[in-house]
Coordinates of all heavy atoms in Angstrom, one line a residue:
M1 N -6.0 -45.2 -56.0 CA -6.1 -46.1 -57.2 C -7.2 -45.5 -58.1 O -8.3 -45.1 -57.7 CB -6.5 -47.6 -56.8 CG -5.4 -48.3 -56.0 SD -5.9 -50.0 -55.6 CE -5.9 -50.9 -57.1
T2 N -6.9 -45.6 -59.3 CA -7.9 -45.2 -60.4 C -9.0 -46.3 -60.5 O -8.7 -47.4 -60.2 CB -7.3 -44.7 -61.6 OG1 -6.8 -45.9 -62.3 CG2 -6.2 -43.8 -61.4
S3 N -10.1 -45.9 -61.0 CA -11.2 -46.9 -61.3 C -10.7 -48.0 -62.3 O -10.9 -49.2 -62.2 CB -12.4 -46.3 -61.7 OG -12.4 -45.6 -63.0
T4 N -9.8 -47.6 -63.2 CA -9.2 -48.5 -64.2 C -8.5 -49.6 -63.5 O -8.6 -50.8 -63.8 CB -8.5 -47.8 -65.3 OG1 -9.3 -46.9 -65.9 CG2 -8.0 -48.8 -66.3
E5 N -7.6 -49.1 -62.6 CA -6.7 -50.0 -61.8 C -7.6 -50.9 -60.9 O -7.1 -52.1 -60.8 CB -5.7 -49.1 -61.0 CG -4.8 -48.4 -61.7 CD -3.9 -47.5 -60.8 OE1 -4.5 -46.9 -59.9 OE2 -2.7 -47.3 -61.1
I6 N -8.6 -50.4 -60.3 CA -9.5 -51.2 -59.4 C -10.1 -52.4 -60.3 O -10.1 -53.5 -59.8 CB -10.5 -50.3 -58.6 CG1 -9.8 -49.4 -57.8 CG2 -11.6 -51.2 -58.0 CD1 -10.7 -48.3 -57.2
V7 N -10.7 -52.0 -61.4 CA -11.4 -52.9 -62.3 C -10.3 -54.1 -62.7 O -10.7 -55.2 -62.7 CB -11.9 -52.3 -63.5 CG1 -12.4 -53.3 -64.5 CG2 -13.1 -51.4 -63.1
E8 N -9.2 -53.6 -63.1 CA -8.1 -54.6 -63.5 C -7.7 -55.4 -62.4 O -7.5 -56.7 -62.7 CB -6.9 -53.8 -64.1 CG -5.7 -54.7 -64.6 CD -6.1 -55.5 -65.7 OE1 -7.1 -55.3 -66.4 OE2 -5.2 -56.4 -66.1
L9 N -7.5 -54.9 -61.2 CA -7.1 -55.7 -60.0 C -8.2 -56.7 -59.7 O -7.8 -57.9 -59.5 CB -6.8 -54.8 -58.8 CG -6.4 -55.4 -57.5 CD1 -5.1 -56.3 -57.8 CD2 -6.3 -54.5 -56.5
R10 N -9.4 -56.3 -59.8 CA -10.5 -57.3 -59.5 C -10.5 -58.3 -60.5 O -10.8 -59.5 -60.2 CB -11.8 -56.6 -59.5 CG -12.0 -55.5 -58.3 CD -12.2 -56.3 -57.1 NE -12.4 -55.4 -56.0 CZ -12.3 -55.7 -54.7 NH1 -12.0 -56.9 -54.4 NH2 -12.6 -54.9 -53.8
R11 N -10.3 -58.0 -61.8 CA -10.2 -59.0 -62.8 C -9.2 -60.1 -62.7 O -9.5 -61.2 -62.8 CB -10.1 -58.2 -64.2 CG -10.2 -59.2 -65.4 CD -10.0 -58.5 -66.7 NE -8.6 -58.1 -66.9 CZ -7.5 -58.9 -67.1 NH1 -7.8 -60.2 -67.2 NH2 -6.3 -58.4 -67.1
V12 N -8.1 -59.6 -62.4 CA -6.8 -60.5 -62.2 C -7.1 -61.4 -60.9 O -6.9 -62.6 -61.0 CB -5.5 -59.6 -62.0 CG1 -4.4 -60.5 -61.6 CG2 -5.4 -59.0 -63.3
I13 N -7.7 -60.8 -59.8 CA -7.9 -61.6 -58.7 C -9.0 -62.7 -58.9 O -8.8 -63.8 -58.6 CB -8.4 -60.8 -57.5 CG1 -7.2 -59.9 -57.0 CG2 -9.0 -61.6 -56.4 CD1 -7.6 -58.9 -55.9
G14 N -9.9 -62.4 -59.9 CA -10.9 -63.4 -60.3 C -10.3 -64.4 -61.1 O -10.7 -65.6 -61.0
Q15 N -9.4 -64.0 -62.0 CA -8.6 -65.0 -62.8 C -7.9 -66.0 -61.9 O -7.9 -67.2 -62.1 CB -7.8 -64.4 -63.7 CG -8.5 -63.8 -65.0 CD -7.5 -63.1 -65.9 OE1 -6.5 -62.6 -65.4 NE2 -7.8 -63.1 -67.2
M16 N -7.2 -65.4 -60.9 CA -6.4 -66.2 -60.0 C -7.3 -67.2 -59.2 O -7.0 -68.4 -59.0 CB -5.6 -65.4 -59.0 CG -4.4 -64.7 -59.7 SD -3.2 -64.0 -58.6 CE -4.3 -62.7 -57.7
R17 N -8.4 -66.7 -58.7 CA -9.4 -67.5 -58.1 C -9.8 -68.7 -58.9 O -9.9 -69.9 -58.6 CB -10.6 -66.7 -57.6 CG -11.5 -67.5 -56.7 CD -12.6 -66.6 -56.1 NE -12.0 -65.9 -55.0 CZ -12.0 -64.5 -54.8 NH1 -12.5 -63.8 -55.6 NH2 -11.5 -64.1 -53.8
H18 N -10.1 -68.5 -60.2 CA -10.5 -69.5 -61.2 C -9.4 -70.5 -61.3 O -9.6 -71.7 -61.4 CB -10.8 -68.9 -62.5 CG -11.2 -69.9 -63.6 ND1 -12.5 -70.5 -63.6 CD2 -10.5 -70.3 -64.6 CE1 -12.4 -71.4 -64.6 NE2 -11.3 -71.2 -65.3
C19 N -8.1 -70.0 -61.5 CA -7.0 -71.0 -61.6 C -6.8 -71.8 -60.3 O -6.5 -73.0 -60.5 CB -5.7 -70.1 -61.9 SG -5.6 -69.3 -63.4
V20 N -6.9 -71.2 -59.2 CA -6.8 -72.0 -58.0 C -7.9 -73.1 -58.0 O -7.7 -74.3 -57.6 CB -6.9 -71.1 -56.7 CG1 -7.0 -71.9 -55.5 CG2 -5.6 -70.3 -56.7
S21 N -9.2 -72.8 -58.4 CA -10.2 -73.8 -58.4 C -9.9 -74.9 -59.3 O -10.0 -76.1 -59.1 CB -11.5 -73.0 -58.9 OG -12.0 -72.2 -58.0
S22 N -9.1 -74.6 -60.5 CA -8.8 -75.6 -61.4 C -7.7 -76.5 -60.7 O -7.7 -77.7 -60.9 CB -8.2 -75.0 -62.7 OG -9.2 -74.2 -63.4
L23 N -6.8 -75.8 -60.0 CA -5.7 -76.6 -59.4 C -6.3 -77.6 -58.3 O -5.9 -78.7 -58.1 CB -4.7 -75.7 -58.7 CG -3.8 -75.0 -59.6 CD1 -2.9 -73.9 -59.0 CD2 -2.9 -75.9 -60.4
R24 N -7.4 -77.1 -57.6 CA -8.0 -77.9 -56.6 C -8.7 -79.1 -57.2 O -8.7 -80.1 -56.6 CB -9.0 -77.0 -55.9 CG -9.6 -77.8 -54.6 CD -10.5 -76.8 -53.7 NE -9.6 -76.2 -52.9 CZ -9.7 -74.9 -52.5 NH1 -10.6 -74.1 -53.2 NH2 -8.9 -74.4 -51.7
A25 N -9.3 -78.8 -58.4 CA -10.0 -79.9 -59.1 C -8.9 -81.0 -59.5 O -9.2 -82.2 -59.5 CB -10.7 -79.5 -60.2
K26 N -7.8 -80.6 -59.9 CA -6.7 -81.4 -60.4 C -5.9 -82.2 -59.2 O -5.7 -83.4 -59.3 CB -5.7 -80.6 -61.2 CG -4.6 -81.6 -61.9 CD -3.8 -80.8 -62.8 CE -2.7 -81.7 -63.4 NZ -1.9 -81.1 -64.4
Y27 N -5.5 -81.4 -58.2 CA -4.7 -82.0 -57.2 C -5.4 -82.2 -55.8 O -4.8 -82.8 -55.0 CB -3.5 -81.0 -56.9 CG -2.6 -80.8 -58.1 CD1 -2.6 -79.7 -58.8 CD2 -1.7 -81.8 -58.5 CE1 -1.8 -79.5 -59.9 CE2 -0.9 -81.7 -59.5 CZ -1.0 -80.5 -60.3 OH -0.1 -80.4 -61.4
G28 N -6.7 -81.8 -55.7 CA -7.3 -82.0 -54.4 C -7.0 -80.8 -53.5 O -6.4 -79.8 -53.9
D29 N -7.4 -81.0 -52.3 CA -7.3 -79.9 -51.3 C -5.9 -80.2 -50.5 O -5.9 -80.1 -49.3 CB -8.4 -80.0 -50.4 CG -8.6 -78.6 -49.7 OD1 -8.3 -77.6 -50.3 OD2 -9.3 -78.6 -48.7
V30 N -4.8 -80.2 -51.3 CA -3.4 -80.3 -50.6 C -3.0 -79.0 -50.0 O -3.6 -78.0 -50.4 CB -2.5 -80.9 -51.7 CG1 -2.8 -82.3 -52.1 CG2 -2.3 -79.9 -52.8
A31 N -2.0 -79.0 -49.3 CA -1.5 -77.8 -48.6 C -1.2 -76.7 -49.5 O -1.4 -75.5 -49.3 CB -0.4 -78.2 -47.7
A32 N -0.4 -77.1 -50.6 CA -0.1 -76.0 -51.6 C -1.2 -75.3 -52.2 O -1.2 -74.0 -52.3 CB 0.8 -76.6 -52.7
V33 N -2.3 -76.0 -52.5 CA -3.5 -75.4 -53.1 C -4.2 -74.6 -52.0 O -4.7 -73.4 -52.3 CB -4.4 -76.4 -53.7 CG1 -5.8 -75.9 -54.2 CG2 -3.7 -77.1 -54.9
Q34 N -4.3 -75.0 -50.8 CA -4.9 -74.3 -49.7 C -4.1 -73.0 -49.5 O -4.8 -71.9 -49.3 CB -4.9 -75.1 -48.4 CG -5.8 -76.3 -48.4 CD -5.7 -77.0 -47.1 OE1 -4.8 -76.7 -46.3 NE2 -6.6 -78.1 -47.0
R35 N -2.8 -73.0 -49.5 CA -2.0 -71.7 -49.4 C -2.3 -70.8 -50.4 O -2.5 -69.6 -50.2 CB -0.5 -72.1 -49.3 CG -0.1 -72.6 -48.0 CD 1.4 -72.7 -47.8 NE 2.1 -73.5 -48.8 CZ 2.3 -74.7 -48.8 NH1 2.1 -75.4 -47.7 NH2 3.0 -75.3 -49.9
L36 N -2.4 -71.3 -51.7 CA -2.7 -70.4 -52.9 C -4.1 -69.8 -52.6 O -4.3 -68.6 -53.0 CB -2.6 -71.2 -54.2 CG -1.2 -71.5 -54.7 CD1 -1.3 -72.4 -55.8 CD2 -0.4 -70.3 -55.1
A37 N -5.0 -70.6 -52.3 CA -6.4 -70.1 -52.0 C -6.4 -69.0 -51.0 O -7.1 -68.0 -51.1 CB -7.4 -71.2 -51.7
N38 N -5.7 -69.2 -49.9 CA -5.6 -68.2 -48.9 C -5.0 -66.9 -49.3 O -5.3 -65.8 -49.0 CB -4.8 -68.7 -47.6 CG -5.5 -69.8 -46.9 OD1 -6.7 -69.8 -46.9 ND2 -4.8 -70.6 -46.1
D39 N -3.9 -67.1 -50.2 CA -3.2 -65.9 -50.7 C -4.1 -65.1 -51.6 O -4.2 -63.8 -51.5 CB -2.0 -66.3 -51.6 CG -0.8 -67.0 -50.7 OD1 -0.8 -66.7 -49.5 OD2 0.0 -67.6 -51.3
V40 N -4.9 -65.8 -52.5 CA -5.8 -65.0 -53.4 C -7.0 -64.4 -52.4 O -7.2 -63.2 -52.7 CB -6.6 -66.0 -54.3 CG1 -7.7 -65.4 -55.0 CG2 -5.6 -66.5 -55.3
E41 N -7.4 -65.0 -51.5 CA -8.4 -64.5 -50.5 C -7.8 -63.1 -49.9 O -8.4 -62.1 -49.7 CB -8.8 -65.4 -49.5 CG -10.0 -65.0 -48.5 CD -11.3 -64.6 -49.3 OE1 -11.4 -65.2 -50.4 OE2 -12.0 -63.7 -48.8
R42 N -6.6 -63.3 -49.4 CA -5.8 -62.1 -48.7 C -5.7 -61.0 -49.6 O -5.9 -59.9 -49.3 CB -4.5 -62.6 -48.2 CG -3.7 -61.6 -47.5 CD -4.3 -61.4 -46.2 NE -4.7 -60.0 -46.0 CZ -5.5 -59.5 -45.1 NH1 -6.0 -60.2 -44.2 NH2 -5.8 -58.3 -45.1
M43 N -5.4 -61.3 -50.9 CA -5.3 -60.2 -51.9 C -6.7 -59.5 -52.1 O -6.7 -58.3 -52.4 CB -4.7 -60.8 -53.2 CG -3.3 -61.0 -53.2 SD -2.5 -61.4 -54.8 CE -2.9 -63.2 -54.7
D44 N -7.7 -60.4 -52.2 CA -9.0 -59.7 -52.4 C -9.4 -58.9 -51.1 O -9.9 -57.7 -51.3 CB -10.1 -60.9 -52.4 CG -11.4 -60.2 -52.9 OD1 -11.5 -59.3 -53.7 OD2 -12.4 -61.0 -52.5
I45 N -9.1 -59.2 -49.9 CA -9.3 -58.5 -48.8 C -8.5 -57.1 -48.8 O -9.0 -56.0 -48.5 CB -9.1 -59.2 -47.5 CG1 -10.0 -60.4 -47.4 CG2 -8.9 -58.3 -46.2 CD1 -9.6 -61.4 -46.2
D46 N -7.2 -57.3 -49.2 CA -6.4 -56.1 -49.3 C -6.9 -55.1 -50.3 O -6.7 -53.9 -50.1 CB -4.9 -56.5 -49.5 CG -4.2 -57.2 -48.3 OD1 -4.8 -57.0 -47.2 OD2 -3.2 -57.9 -48.4
A47 N -7.3 -55.7 -51.5 CA -7.7 -54.8 -52.5 C -9.0 -54.0 -52.0 O -9.2 -52.8 -52.3 CB -8.1 -55.7 -53.7
T48 N -9.9 -54.7 -51.3 CA -11.0 -54.1 -50.8 C -10.6 -52.9 -49.8 O -11.3 -51.9 -49.8 CB -12.0 -55.1 -50.1 OG1 -12.3 -56.1 -51.0 CG2 -13.2 -54.4 -49.4
E49 N -9.6 -53.2 -48.9 CA -9.2 -52.2 -48.1 C -8.6 -51.0 -48.9 O -8.9 -49.8 -48.3 CB -8.1 -52.8 -47.1 CG -8.6 -53.6 -46.0 CD -7.5 -54.1 -45.1 OE1 -6.5 -53.6 -45.1 OE2 -7.8 -55.1 -44.4
L50 N -7.8 -51.2 -49.8 CA -7.3 -50.1 -50.6 C -8.5 -49.2 -51.3 O -8.4 -48.0 -51.3 CB -6.4 -50.6 -51.6 CG -5.0 -51.0 -51.2 CD1 -4.2 -51.6 -52.4 CD2 -4.2 -49.8 -50.7
V51 N -9.4 -49.9 -51.8 CA -10.6 -49.2 -52.3 C -11.2 -48.4 -51.3 O -11.5 -47.1 -51.5 CB -11.6 -50.2 -53.0 CG1 -12.8 -49.5 -53.4 CG2 -10.9 -50.9 -54.2
D52 N -11.4 -48.9 -50.1 CA -12.1 -48.2 -49.0 C -11.3 -47.1 -48.5 O -11.8 -46.0 -48.1 CB -12.4 -49.1 -47.8 CG -13.4 -50.2 -48.1 OD1 -14.2 -50.1 -49.1 OD2 -13.5 -51.2 -47.3
L53 N -10.0 -47.1 -48.6 CA -9.1 -46.0 -48.2 C -9.2 -44.9 -49.1 O -8.9 -43.7 -48.7 CB -7.7 -46.5 -48.0 CG -7.3 -47.4 -46.9 CD1 -5.9 -47.8 -47.0 CD2 -7.6 -46.6 -45.6
G54 N -9.6 -45.0 -50.3 CA -9.7 -44.0 -51.3 C -8.3 -43.9 -52.1 O -7.5 -44.8 -52.2
S55 N -8.1 -42.8 -52.6 CA -6.9 -42.5 -53.4 C -5.6 -42.3 -52.7 O -4.6 -42.4 -53.2 CB -7.1 -41.4 -54.5 OG -7.4 -40.3 -53.7
T56 N -5.8 -42.1 -51.3 CA -4.5 -41.8 -50.5 C -4.4 -42.9 -49.5 O -5.1 -42.7 -48.4 CB -4.5 -40.4 -49.9 OG1 -5.8 -40.3 -49.2 CG2 -4.5 -39.4 -50.9
P57 N -3.7 -43.9 -49.7 CA -3.4 -45.0 -48.7 C -2.8 -44.4 -47.4 O -1.9 -43.5 -47.5 CB -2.6 -46.0 -49.3 CG -2.5 -45.7 -50.8 CD -2.9 -44.2 -50.9
R58 N -3.2 -44.8 -46.3 CA -2.6 -44.4 -45.0 C -1.8 -45.5 -44.4 O -2.1 -46.7 -44.7 CB -3.7 -44.0 -43.9 CG -4.5 -42.8 -44.4 CD -5.7 -42.6 -43.5 NE -6.7 -43.7 -43.9 CZ -7.8 -43.9 -43.2 NH1 -8.0 -43.2 -42.2 NH2 -8.6 -44.9 -43.6
Q59 N -0.8 -45.1 -43.6 CA 0.0 -46.2 -43.0 C -0.8 -46.7 -41.8 O -1.6 -45.9 -41.1 CB 1.2 -45.6 -42.3 CG 2.2 -45.2 -43.3 CD 3.1 -46.3 -43.8 OE1 2.7 -47.4 -43.8 NE2 4.3 -46.1 -44.2
R60 N -0.7 -48.0 -41.6 CA -1.4 -48.7 -40.5 C -0.6 -48.3 -39.2 O 0.5 -48.3 -39.2 CB -1.5 -50.2 -40.6 CG -2.4 -50.6 -41.6 CD -2.5 -52.1 -41.6 NE -3.3 -52.5 -42.7 CZ -3.6 -53.7 -43.1 NH1 -3.1 -54.7 -42.1 NH2 -4.3 -54.1 -44.1
E61 N -1.3 -48.0 -38.1 CA -0.6 -47.8 -36.8 C -0.4 -49.1 -36.2 O -1.2 -50.0 -36.3 CB -1.5 -46.9 -35.9 CG -1.8 -45.5 -36.4 CD -2.6 -44.7 -35.4 OE1 -2.7 -45.1 -34.3 OE2 -3.2 -43.7 -35.9
A62 N 0.8 -49.1 -35.6 CA 1.2 -50.3 -34.8 C 0.3 -50.5 -33.5 O -0.1 -49.5 -33.0 CB 2.7 -50.2 -34.4
P63 N -0.2 -51.7 -33.3 CA -1.0 -51.9 -32.2 C -0.3 -51.5 -30.8 O 1.0 -51.7 -30.8 CB -1.3 -53.5 -32.2 CG -0.2 -54.0 -33.0 CD 0.2 -52.9 -34.0
Q64 N -1.0 -51.1 -30.0 CA -0.4 -50.7 -28.6 C -0.2 -51.9 -27.8 O -1.1 -52.7 -27.6 CB -1.3 -49.6 -27.9 CG -1.5 -48.2 -28.6 CD -0.2 -47.6 -28.6 OE1 0.5 -47.6 -27.8 NE2 0.0 -46.8 -29.7
V65 N 1.0 -52.1 -27.3 CA 1.3 -53.2 -26.5 C 1.6 -52.8 -25.2 O 2.4 -51.8 -24.8 CB 2.6 -53.9 -27.1 CG1 2.9 -55.2 -26.2 CG2 2.3 -54.5 -28.6
E66 N 0.8 -53.4 -24.2 CA 1.2 -53.1 -22.8 C 2.3 -53.7 -22.3 O 2.5 -55.0 -22.5 CB -0.1 -53.4 -21.9 CG -0.6 -52.4 -21.0 CD -1.8 -52.8 -20.2 OE1 -2.9 -52.6 -20.8 OE2 -1.6 -53.3 -19.1
R67 N 3.3 -53.0 -21.8 CA 4.5 -53.7 -21.3 C 4.6 -53.6 -19.8 O 4.3 -52.6 -19.1 CB 5.7 -52.9 -21.9 CG 5.7 -53.0 -23.3 CD 7.1 -52.5 -24.0 NE 7.2 -52.9 -25.3 CZ 7.1 -52.0 -26.3 NH1 7.0 -50.7 -26.0 NH2 7.1 -52.4 -27.6
E68 N 5.1 -54.7 -19.1 CA 5.3 -54.8 -17.9 C 6.5 -54.1 -17.3 O 7.5 -54.6 -18.0 CB 5.1 -56.3 -17.3 CG 5.3 -56.4 -15.8 CD 5.3 -57.8 -15.4 OE1 5.0 -58.7 -16.2 OE2 5.6 -58.1 -14.2
V69 N 6.5 -53.2 -16.4 CA 7.8 -52.7 -15.8 C 8.3 -53.5 -14.7 O 7.6 -53.7 -13.8 CB 7.6 -51.2 -15.5 CG1 8.8 -50.6 -14.9 CG2 7.0 -50.4 -16.6
V70 N 9.6 -54.0 -14.9 CA 10.1 -54.7 -13.8 C 11.2 -53.9 -13.1 O 12.1 -53.4 -13.9 CB 10.8 -56.0 -14.4 CG1 11.5 -56.8 -13.2 CG2 9.8 -56.9 -15.1
V71 N 11.1 -53.6 -11.8 CA 12.0 -52.8 -11.1 C 13.1 -53.7 -10.6 O 12.9 -54.7 -9.9 CB 11.2 -52.0 -10.0 CG1 12.3 -51.3 -9.2 CG2 10.1 -51.3 -10.5
V72 N 14.3 -53.2 -10.9 CA 15.5 -54.0 -10.4 C 16.0 -53.1 -9.3 O 16.5 -52.0 -9.6 CB 16.5 -54.4 -11.4 CG1 17.6 -55.1 -10.9 CG2 15.8 -55.1 -12.6
P73 N 16.2 -53.7 -8.1 CA 16.6 -52.8 -7.0 C 18.2 -52.5 -7.1 O 19.0 -53.3 -7.7 CB 16.5 -53.6 -5.7 CG 16.4 -55.0 -6.2 CD 15.8 -54.9 -7.6
D74 N 18.7 -51.3 -6.7 CA 20.0 -51.0 -6.8 C 20.9 -51.4 -5.6 O 22.1 -51.3 -5.6 CB 20.1 -49.4 -6.9 CG 19.7 -48.8 -8.1 OD1 19.7 -49.4 -9.0 OD2 19.3 -47.6 -8.1
T75 N 20.2 -52.1 -4.7 CA 20.9 -52.5 -3.5 C 21.9 -53.7 -3.9 O 21.6 -54.5 -4.8 CB 19.9 -53.1 -2.4 OG1 19.1 -54.1 -3.0 CG2 19.1 -51.8 -1.9
P76 N 22.9 -53.9 -3.2 CA 24.0 -55.0 -3.5 C 23.3 -56.4 -3.2 O 22.4 -56.5 -2.4 CB 25.1 -54.8 -2.6 CG 24.9 -53.5 -1.9 CD 23.5 -53.1 -2.1
Y77 N 23.7 -57.4 -3.9 CA 23.3 -58.7 -3.8 C 23.8 -59.3 -2.5 O 25.0 -58.9 -2.1 CB 23.6 -59.6 -4.9 CG 22.8 -59.4 -6.2 CD1 23.4 -58.6 -7.2 CD2 21.6 -59.8 -6.3 CE1 22.7 -58.4 -8.4 CE2 20.8 -59.7 -7.5 CZ 21.5 -59.0 -8.5 OH 20.7 -58.7 -9.6
D78 N 23.2 -60.3 -1.9 CA 23.7 -61.0 -0.7 C 24.9 -61.8 -1.1 O 24.7 -62.6 -2.1 CB 22.6 -61.8 -0.1 CG 23.0 -62.5 1.1 OD1 24.2 -62.3 1.6 OD2 22.2 -63.3 1.6
E79 N 26.1 -61.5 -0.6 CA 27.3 -62.2 -1.1 C 27.1 -63.8 -0.8 O 27.8 -64.6 -1.6 CB 28.5 -61.8 -0.3 CG 28.9 -60.4 -0.8 CD 29.5 -60.5 -2.2 OE1 30.2 -61.5 -2.5 OE2 29.3 -59.5 -3.0
S80 N 26.3 -64.2 0.1 CA 26.2 -65.7 0.4 C 25.5 -66.4 -0.9 O 25.7 -67.7 -1.0 CB 25.3 -65.9 1.6 OG 24.0 -65.5 1.4
L81 N 24.9 -65.6 -1.8 CA 24.2 -66.3 -2.9 C 25.4 -66.8 -3.9 O 25.1 -67.7 -4.6 CB 23.4 -65.3 -3.7 CG 22.2 -64.7 -3.0 CD1 21.6 -63.7 -3.8 CD2 21.1 -65.9 -2.9
W82 N 26.6 -66.2 -3.8 CA 27.6 -66.6 -4.7 C 28.7 -67.4 -4.1 O 29.7 -67.8 -4.7 CB 28.3 -65.3 -5.2 CG 27.3 -64.4 -5.9 CD1 26.9 -63.2 -5.3 CD2 26.7 -64.6 -7.1 NE1 25.9 -62.6 -6.2 CE2 25.8 -63.5 -7.2 CE3 26.6 -65.6 -8.1 CZ2 25.0 -63.3 -8.4 CZ3 25.9 -65.5 -9.2 CH2 25.0 -64.4 -9.2
K83 N 28.4 -68.0 -2.8 CA 29.4 -68.7 -2.1 C 29.6 -70.1 -2.8 O 28.7 -70.7 -3.3 CB 29.0 -69.0 -0.7 CG 29.9 -69.8 0.1 CD 29.5 -69.9 1.5 CE 30.7 -70.6 2.3 NZ 30.3 -71.3 3.4
D84 N 30.8 -70.5 -3.1 CA 31.2 -71.7 -3.8 C 30.6 -71.8 -5.2 O 30.5 -72.9 -5.9 CB 30.6 -73.0 -3.0 CG 31.3 -73.1 -1.6 OD1 32.4 -72.7 -1.5 OD2 30.6 -73.6 -0.8
A85 N 30.5 -70.7 -5.9 CA 30.0 -70.6 -7.3 C 31.3 -70.5 -8.2 O 32.4 -70.0 -7.8 CB 29.2 -69.4 -7.5
D86 N 31.2 -71.1 -9.4 CA 32.3 -71.0 -10.3 C 32.4 -69.6 -10.9 O 31.4 -68.9 -11.0 CB 31.9 -71.9 -11.5 CG 32.2 -73.4 -11.3 OD1 32.8 -73.7 -10.2 OD2 31.6 -74.2 -12.0
D87 N 33.6 -69.2 -11.0 CA 33.7 -67.8 -11.5 C 34.2 -68.0 -13.0 O 35.3 -68.2 -13.3 CB 34.9 -67.1 -10.8 CG 34.8 -65.6 -10.9 OD1 34.2 -65.1 -11.9 OD2 35.5 -65.0 -10.1
E88 N 33.2 -68.0 -13.9 CA 33.4 -68.3 -15.3 C 34.4 -67.5 -15.9 O 35.2 -67.9 -16.8 CB 32.0 -68.3 -16.0 CG 31.2 -69.3 -15.6 CD 29.8 -69.3 -16.3 OE1 29.8 -68.6 -17.4 OE2 28.8 -69.9 -15.8
G89 N 34.5 -66.2 -15.6 CA 35.4 -65.3 -16.2 C 36.8 -65.6 -16.0 O 37.7 -65.1 -16.6
L90 N 37.1 -66.3 -15.0 CA 38.5 -66.5 -14.6 C 39.0 -68.0 -14.9 O 40.1 -68.4 -14.7 CB 38.7 -66.3 -13.1 CG 38.5 -64.9 -12.5 CD1 38.7 -64.8 -11.1 CD2 39.5 -64.0 -13.4
G91 N 38.1 -68.7 -15.5 CA 38.5 -70.1 -16.1 C 38.4 -71.2 -15.0 O 39.1 -72.2 -15.3
G92 N 37.7 -71.1 -14.0 CA 37.7 -72.2 -13.1 C 37.0 -71.9 -11.8 O 36.5 -70.8 -11.6
Y93 N 37.1 -72.9 -10.9 CA 36.4 -72.8 -9.6 C 37.2 -71.9 -8.7 O 38.5 -71.9 -8.7 CB 36.3 -74.3 -9.0 CG 35.7 -74.3 -7.6 CD1 34.3 -74.2 -7.5 CD2 36.5 -74.3 -6.5 CE1 33.8 -74.2 -6.2 CE2 36.0 -74.2 -5.3 CZ 34.6 -74.2 -5.1 OH 34.0 -74.3 -3.8
R94 N 36.5 -71.0 -8.1 CA 37.2 -70.1 -7.1 C 36.5 -70.1 -5.9 O 35.2 -69.8 -5.8 CB 37.4 -68.8 -7.8 CG 38.2 -67.8 -6.9 CD 38.3 -66.6 -7.7 NE 38.0 -65.5 -6.8 CZ 37.8 -64.2 -7.1 NH1 37.8 -63.9 -8.4 NH2 37.3 -63.4 -6.2
N95 N 37.0 -70.5 -4.7 CA 36.4 -70.5 -3.4 C 36.4 -69.0 -2.8 O 37.5 -68.6 -2.7 CB 37.0 -71.6 -2.5 CG 36.1 -71.7 -1.2 OD1 35.3 -70.9 -0.9 ND2 36.6 -72.8 -0.5
R96 N 35.3 -68.5 -2.5 CA 35.2 -67.2 -2.0 C 35.1 -67.2 -0.4 O 34.8 -66.2 0.0 CB 33.9 -66.5 -2.4 CG 33.9 -66.3 -4.0 CD 32.7 -65.5 -4.4 NE 32.9 -65.2 -5.8 CZ 32.6 -63.9 -6.2 NH1 32.0 -63.0 -5.5 NH2 32.8 -63.7 -7.5
S97 N 35.6 -68.2 0.2 CA 35.5 -68.2 1.7 C 36.6 -67.3 2.3 O 37.7 -67.1 1.8 CB 35.8 -69.7 2.2 OG 34.8 -70.5 1.5

């Protein structure tokens, strides 16, 4: 971002902050006004991050997530687990005795 863009962005964020303050005075601290205030704050934080990055924005790296590995054995299931179970694929009860 050029310094002109940064100055303009800061000016616009300041104007939005002023407008949100006016809305808060008129409507009180309702949910819609709180969301707008949060949005303006988020834009201010993001603008600061862009300025800190310099002129070449970098992609954020995805956080590393630890995944649990679940081992499923290849051995056959015990047939007694399925005794007297419905066989849904065939449309009804099927006795496996």
Side-chain angles (χ1 to χ4, degrees):
M1 292 179 71
T2 66
S3 61
T4 306
E5 291 171 324
I6 293 168
V7 169
E8 179 66 11
L9 181 60
R10 294 283 184 204
R11 184 186 67 75
V12 170
I13 291 172
Q15 286 178 327
M16 287 190 300
R17 187 172 279 124
H18 177 73
C19 290
V20 170
S21 294
S22 297
L23 291 170
R24 184 172 279 133
K26 183 174 182 177
Y27 297 106
D29 207 22
V30 296
V33 174
Q34 289 176 355
R35 285 191 302 270
L36 287 169
N38 288 339
D39 292 343
V40 171
E41 185 63 28
R42 182 73 242 169
M43 283 187 275
D44 190 34
I45 291 169
D46 290 341
T48 301
E49 284 183 17
L50 283 175
V51 170
D52 291 344
L53 286 174
S55 61
T56 55
R58 295 172 286 175
Q59 289 278 28
R60 290 186 187 179
E61 292 183 23
Q64 295 295 325
V65 178
E66 228 176 276
R67 294 189 172 112
E68 179 184 352
V69 176
V70 178
V71 178
V72 179
D74 289 338
T75 57
Y77 288 102
D78 180 7
E79 286 292 323
S80 67
L81 294 172
W82 305 108
K83 186 177 185 204
D84 295 330
D86 287 343
D87 200 344
E88 295 177 17
L90 298 176
Y93 179 81
R94 186 174 126 193
N95 191 344
R96 292 186 171 219
S97 309

